[in-house]
Amino acid sequence: TKKQARDSIERWSHFAGLHYVNNRWLGGTLTNFKTVRKSIDRMIELQELFGSGQIERYSKKEQSQLNREKASLEKNLQGIREMREMPTFMFVIDPGKEGIAIAEARKLGIPVVAVVDTNCDPDPIDYVIPGNDDAIRSINLACEKMAEATVEGLMKRVEKGLESPEVLPE
């Protein structure tokens, strides 16, 4: 959710077809996913309402309120819109700032891969990537390599017949 990382996280997540959170980690995103899923469903409902033009049936005031609600939901949930099950791992840029996300992953047994700077505690991290979590170029490089490794791993699983080719990103 670090400001410097938002664009890189989104771009490389789209590249690899991964879910992401780049604005604000909502407490319970993983541990209370049923409730978060309801908010995602509401966001999808509002997006369809605006996309189909049915929003015109509402008054200007209601349109404004619905638009505000849609923008708020999209800001926080757009990256996990298609998430139906728990992730197999979590990649974090600044573990010092993302303590809640890491705590949730640890609670659920999800391995955490993180770029760890000298100001962060590496103990709760399963796979540490030493690096500068403040520089945009460093963040972009870490995200790029993580995305490439993920796509490469998916390709190997498809080649071995463990996954269907539909799991590969476009």
Side-chain angles (χ1 to χ4, degrees):
T1 61
K2 207 170 207 176
K3 232 176 197 141
Q4 303 95 299
R6 288 182 183 166
D7 294 335
S8 295
I9 293 282
E10 186 173 357
R11 181 174 65 241
W12 291 109
S13 294
H14 281 296
F15 169 81
L18 301 172
H19 308 294
Y20 64 93
V21 173
N22 68 344
N23 187 50
R24 177 175 170 258
W25 184 269
L26 302 175
T29 298
L30 296 177
T31 54
N32 194 11
F33 189 67
K34 248 190 255 181
T35 305
V36 173
R37 187 72 226 167
K38 289 177 186 173
S39 295
I40 293 170
D41 292 340
R42 174 68 176 157
M43 177 186 67
I44 293 169
E45 179 186 315
L46 289 172
Q47 287 173 335
E48 289 170 355
L49 187 70
F50 278 84
S52 67
Q54 292 178 354
I55 192 69
E56 300 302 323
R57 293 187 293 160
Y58 293 89
S59 69
K60 291 271 189 192
K61 183 178 180 180
E62 289 172 320
Q63 285 181 23
S64 175
Q65 290 171 338
L66 291 172
N67 193 33
R68 208 172 306 118
E69 180 185 0
K70 179 175 130 325
S72 174
L73 290 170
E74 284 176 343
K75 187 169 76 171
N76 293 318
L77 300 173
Q78 188 63 37
I80 58 172
R81 181 180 197 258
E82 303 299 326
M83 191 164 94
R84 301 276 180 233
E85 55 191 36
M86 288 296 122
T88 53
F89 75 96
M90 181 185 289
F91 176 61
V92 178
I93 291 297
D94 186 358
K97 190 172 185 210
E98 305 303 334
I100 296 170
I102 292 169
E104 285 189 37
R106 306 243 348 127
K107 192 176 214 177
L108 296 171
I110 298 170
V112 178
V113 179
V115 176
V116 179
D117 206 343
T118 56
N119 62 350
C120 296
D121 178 19
D123 290 340
I125 310 303
D126 297 305
Y127 302 99
V128 175
I129 301 171
N132 185 355
D133 61 20
D134 296 320
I136 294 172
R137 286 175 51 198
S138 172
I139 292 168
N140 192 47
L141 178 66
C143 292
E144 177 184 3
K145 294 303 172 190
M146 185 59 64
E148 288 173 356
T150 303
V151 170
E152 186 178 322
L154 281 173
M155 287 173 44
K156 285 184 180 179
R157 288 183 62 82
V158 168
E159 287 171 7
K160 290 181 180 178
L162 300 172
E163 299 277 351
S164 65
E166 289 91 42
V167 300
L168 292 174
E170 285 115 35

